Amino acid sequence: MESSEETSKNGKEGLKSHNRRRWRKDKCKASRILQSMDLRTMTQSLVTLAEDNMAFFSSQGPGETARRLSNVFAGVREQALGLEPALGSLLSVAHLFDLDPETPANGYRSLVHTARCCLAHLLHKSRYVASNRRSIFFRTSHNLAELEAYLAALTQLRALAYYAQRLLATNQPGGLFFEGDEGLTADFLREYVTLHKGCFYGRCLGFQFTPSIRPFLQTISIGLVSFGEHYKRNESGLGVTASSLFTSGRFAIDPELRGAEFERITQNLDVHFWKAFWNITEIEVLSSLANMASATVRVSRLISLPPEAFEMPLTSDPKLTVTISPPLAHTGPGPVLIRLISYDLREGQDSEELNSMVKSEGPRILELRPRPQQTSRSRSLVVHFHGGGFVAQTSKSHEPYLKSWAQELGAPIISIDYSLAPEAPFPRALEECFFAYCWAVKHCALLGSTGERICLAGDSAGGNLCFTVALRAAAYGVRVPDGIMAAYPATMLQSAASPSRLLSLMDPLLPLSVLSKCVSAYAGAEAEEHPNSDEKALGMMGLVRRDTSLLLRDLRLGASSWLNSFLEFSGQKSQKTSAPTVESMRRSVSEAALAQPEGPVGTDSLKILTLKDLNLKSSSETSETPEMSLSVETLGPSTPSDVNFFLRPEDAREEAEAKEGLSAKDSSSGVSNAFPVGFHPRRTSQGATQMPLYSSPIVKNPFMSPLLAPDNMLKTLPPVHIVACALDPMLDDSVMFARRLRALGQPVTLRVVEDLPHGFLSLASLCRETRQAAELCVERIRLILTPPAAAAATAPPPL
């Protein structure tokens, strides 16, 4: 009996292993097709196979399945033939938007690559069908469902290609961001968000990324829709326990249902849902599991900086000082939390002064093991700002890869736990990060560093804060960091479309509606009152910790609960939740206050005279010269049309010639006429989208959108190293920011990693590709921390 059971078990495991190997093999074949064929050859091969399959299934009688297979191949043929010219026109001019020939990356290239990935998968699947359609083992229903899903994806990608052509025809020369009037911008976004997205969240989930990422994305999508179901039932979602991850098994076995629910969640749930979901990683048990796989460090402690003003010397004249005031915006003075991480225990890190500021986190305060003596202070210090869309996560979420950084760099790291929106909108996070940076520069000895080299590092929203903190430091006249490493940063928070942001239609980690809600919350336009006052009083992390106490019970009951729901093929319809009331935007900080740093209380006139770099040009100071120029000194933050990003003169002429191929109708008609006659993309069935258009003037402030900063501000930045993702909706933010810095003669590098999603640093231990991308970030930081003389001494001799 035992032998029979063991044989059955081994047989099932062997079948699972076989399926996994076949899936990887299929992905590798599709990848080889993508690499070995140009666009036209791939399209012609796909059309030929589609016609052959279409003819075969048309001859199989009047059956419903045969009819659907014939129709799906007819649709593949139609969409492929219509898509190929649009992609070709984009590819012909894509090189004009690169940073340089060595960095071929921008949103147009990414959109073409994504469409080619879809075509490659359909080509591989069409070949498989042609070879196996007569076999008795041919799984008709499975292959039909996959073909229909990828046909829907191809149709939507064709719509995105036409949108990209519209951007190319409407944008100013060299611009990746849509810079038309605000009314046309609103029309464009409203039209864009009506497109159907569920097809990208079901069977096609993550098709554009490296195969190693897709299982993780599937797990996240199942967890998200399960969490959303409980959130919908509880209205707040904050009472969800770990059992949520084991229930709603029907989403695991029905990709179409999962995709539809994923689309509903991304379009209609408010920022509080995303804050709650993203903060799941803050649960003690989950964070402990993540830290078990990370490097072991000697020091990891949370420090509370008192809200007390202090003096900082001016770099222009160290005899003069400027007062650094504690954060004041929105909630008044309050402590700022930072996390100190150090692989070794260094001098100063266990001092009485620092110990007096340590904030208890429970049993995990200081990971300190007996050692004969302390290590001397490092010459370097890394100041880190975490990502999370300005609304979620803390340094604890990012602690696993920060520990690895501390080990590899041999330098202490402080990560700032800045206040989050919507409870603390702009500029509170900036004020806290700047205050913590200045405190670290002044008290670096307590952190185990001499402060000879200081690097700012951050990802996503944290990358934005890296740039704005450095700009603020220069404006105050205090020490600017020696360099910045920003991973996939957000540099443009204005509601401007770009070719890479079109990818947010299919991105499971950064949909456009979610991005819009996060930026709206950071801008202060989201209602911050939670519907349940008791839950608000308890606090976000208090609610999460409360649910953690039920974890063991959930683990015990979860298996049976999951099994029962797994067998449910139909469920009760979810009750519709009412749209949250959105308050009007609060402006507790005036435009004048944002244009100038707050005057230090009690400082003399000599100190105030040094605060002059924040003077911004008024909206009326626009360029009167119609000719294109490399100069963008007329740049102003007030209106989209005031911001011009220019190509080199020879590139501008080449692009102008390429644009002549576009018809007059394309260049003058509205957004609704972006599609050719007869083409109709699929529209969403989720109803009106709750996506605020963050058109408030505050998002144009350079301390919120550094891409819009004038030249005199950007010239104060230190060397910048950007690591971006080719398939990230934020790619154009990195490309345009690097181009602006390059045009100003500022030292900047841009490295673009392929086939990885936004947020890869948090996935550093997931696969080889994410580890390599994380190592690239460490390499960029090491360049900043290495003194120029030492770097020159270790450089290889010229050939």
Side-chain angles (χ1 to χ4, degrees), residues 303-376:
I303 299 169
S304 178
L305 306 182
E308 301 171 355
F310 55 88
E311 300 294 315
M312 285 283 288
L314 300 177
T315 54
S316 58
D317 187 352
K319 295 180 180 179
L320 301 177
T321 62
V322 62
T323 301
I324 305 299
S325 302
L328 298 173
H330 300 292
T331 56
V336 178
L337 298 181
I338 67 172
R339 182 178 298 276
L340 173 62
I341 299 175
S342 180
Y343 182 71
D344 295 304
L345 176 64
R346 298 184 179 274
E347 294 180 15
Q349 292 178 345
D350 61 348
S351 62
E352 293 184 5
E353 183 177 357
L354 193 65
N355 287 334
S356 66
M357 293 185 285
V358 171
K359 182 178 177 62
S360 175
E361 293 185 272
R364 294 176 65 251
I365 301 176
L366 176 66
E367 296 182 13
L368 181 60
R369 292 170 175 78
R371 56 179 55 248
Q373 61 180 5
Q374 298 177 349
T375 304
S376 61

Side-chain angles (χ1 to χ4, degrees), residues 231 235-236 264-277 391 513-514 517-518 526-527 529-531 577-582 690:
Y231 183 93
E235 294 185 349
S236 67
R264 184 196 69 80
I265 288 173
T266 56
Q267 290 202 176
N268 297 314
L269 293 188
D270 60 18
V271 71
H272 294 284
F273 166 81
W274 296 101
K275 179 189 283 283
F277 180 71
V391 302
S513 57
V514 177
K517 291 165 188 173
C518 291
E526 283 282 337
E529 293 295 327
H530 200 276
T577 56
S578 58
T581 302
V582 179
Q690 298 177 14

Side-chain angles (χ1 to χ4, degrees), residues 132-148:
N132 296 275
R133 62 197 180 194
R134 297 180 185 276
S135 171
I136 61 174
F137 299 106
F138 181 69
R139 296 193 296 165
T140 306
S141 298
H142 169 79
N143 287 286
L144 173 60
E146 188 169 355
L147 284 166
E148 288 179 337

Side-chain angles (χ1 to χ4, degrees), residues 90-147:
L90 296 178
L91 199 57
S92 65
V93 297
H95 65 282
L96 301 175
F97 301 89
D98 297 332
L99 174 65
D100 51 46
E102 291 72 33
T103 315
N106 59 69
Y108 292 116
R109 289 185 182 275
S110 299
L111 186 58
V112 172
H113 174 79
T114 302
R116 291 186 71 237
C117 286
C118 189
L119 289 170
H121 187 93
L122 281 168
L123 178 57
H124 167 67
K125 180 56 64 174
S126 298
R127 286 177 175 174
Y128 174 83
V129 171
S131 301
N132 296 275
R133 62 197 180 194
R134 297 180 185 276
S135 171
I136 61 174
F137 299 106
F138 181 69
R139 296 193 296 165
T140 306
S141 298
H142 169 79
N143 287 286
L144 173 60
E146 188 169 355
L147 284 166

Side-chain angles (χ1 to χ4, degrees), residues 398-727:
H398 298 249
E399 190 178 11
Y401 72 79
L402 291 178
K403 287 182 175 181
S404 299
W405 285 10
Q407 178 183 12
E408 296 178 35
L409 296 170
I413 299 174
I414 63 166
S415 184
I416 317 303
D417 281 342
Y418 53 87
S419 295
L420 302 171
E423 294 78 12
F426 177 83
R428 182 72 188 197
L430 173 59
E431 289 183 353
E432 292 182 355
C433 290
F434 176 67
F435 180 82
Y437 164 75
C438 292
W439 186 94
V441 172
K442 185 178 180 67
H443 301 90
C444 58
L446 296 178
L447 303 174
S449 172
T450 61
E452 295 178 37
R453 304 289 296 181
I454 297 179
C455 171
L456 294 187
D459 69 306
S460 191
N464 175 287
L465 291 169
C466 285
F467 298 133
T468 54
V469 166
L471 291 173
R472 195 175 179 94
Y476 268 74
V478 300
R479 175 180 176 178
V480 174
D482 296 285
I484 295 173
M485 193 292 295
Y488 38 88
T491 65
M492 176 68 154
L493 301 189
Q494 186 179 346
S495 56
S498 81
S500 74
R501 295 204 178 172
L502 295 178
L503 298 176
S504 63
L505 187 80
M506 69 196 76
D507 195 293
L509 299 180
L510 202 62
L512 178 63
S513 57
V514 177
L515 170 64
S516 175
K517 291 165 188 173
C518 291
V519 174
S520 181
Y522 186 49
E526 283 282 337
E528 64 179 67
E529 293 295 327
H530 200 276
N532 191 315
S533 58
D534 294 335
E535 290 177 348
K536 181 181 176 183
L538 184 57
M540 175 68 66
M541 293 312 301
L543 290 163
V544 174
R545 293 189 180 98
R546 178 197 68 187
D547 294 335
T548 306
S549 64
L550 302 176
L551 180 63
L552 294 179
R553 187 200 68 180
D554 293 335
L555 290 175
R556 178 170 55 85
L557 300 178
S560 60
S561 176
W562 180 85
L563 181 60
N564 290 333
S565 62
F566 188 88
L567 299 176
E568 294 177 2
F569 289 92
S570 62
Q572 296 180 352
K573 293 184 178 181
S574 306
Q575 296 180 353
K576 296 183 179 180
T577 56
S578 58
T581 302
V582 179
E583 298 177 355
S584 58
M585 189 190 73
R586 292 168 289 103
R587 298 186 61 189
S588 61
V589 182
S590 66
E591 291 296 312
L594 291 173
Q596 294 285 350
E598 58 270 32
V601 178
T603 57
D604 57 32
S605 59
L606 289 176
K607 297 176 185 176
I608 297 176
L609 285 175
T610 63
L611 308 180
K612 60 185 180 180
D613 290 333
L614 285 183
N615 290 324
L616 305 179
K617 296 182 182 293
S618 65
S619 59
S620 61
E621 295 178 359
T622 56
S623 176
E624 298 179 357
T625 305
E627 292 83 2
M628 291 186 296
S629 167
L630 289 176
S631 172
V632 283
E633 293 180 357
T634 58
L635 183 65
S638 297
T639 61
S641 58
D642 293 339
V643 185
N644 301 306
F645 308 106
F646 296 110
L647 293 165
R648 297 184 300 274
E650 60 273 18
D651 287 345
R653 287 193 297 270
E654 187 176 350
E655 186 192 15
E657 293 172 359
K659 281 189 176 184
E660 290 179 359
L662 297 174
S663 65
K665 178 181 178 181
D666 285 341
S667 61
S668 61
S669 58
V671 174
S672 60
N673 295 322
F675 305 135
V677 176
F679 173 72
H680 302 286
R682 305 191 182 198
R683 300 294 179 177
T684 181
S685 60
Q686 298 299 328
T689 300
Q690 298 177 14
M691 192 190 82
L693 298 178
Y694 38 99
S695 58
S696 165
I698 200 171
V699 299
K700 305 169 189 175
N701 187 282
F703 288 103
M704 194 170 183
S705 296
L707 181 59
L708 301 182
D711 290 356
N712 64 312
M713 290 181 67
L714 293 181
K715 287 180 179 179
T716 65
L717 286 175
V720 170
H721 300 277
I722 302 175
V723 180
C725 306
L727 300 179

Side-chain angles (χ1 to χ4, degrees), residues 150-170:
Y150 275 91
L151 172 59
L154 190 67
T155 303
Q156 302 307 83
L157 284 168
R158 184 180 173 189
L160 295 186
Y162 291 137
Y163 279 141
Q165 286 184 315
R166 171 66 55 207
L167 290 175
L168 186 62
T170 309

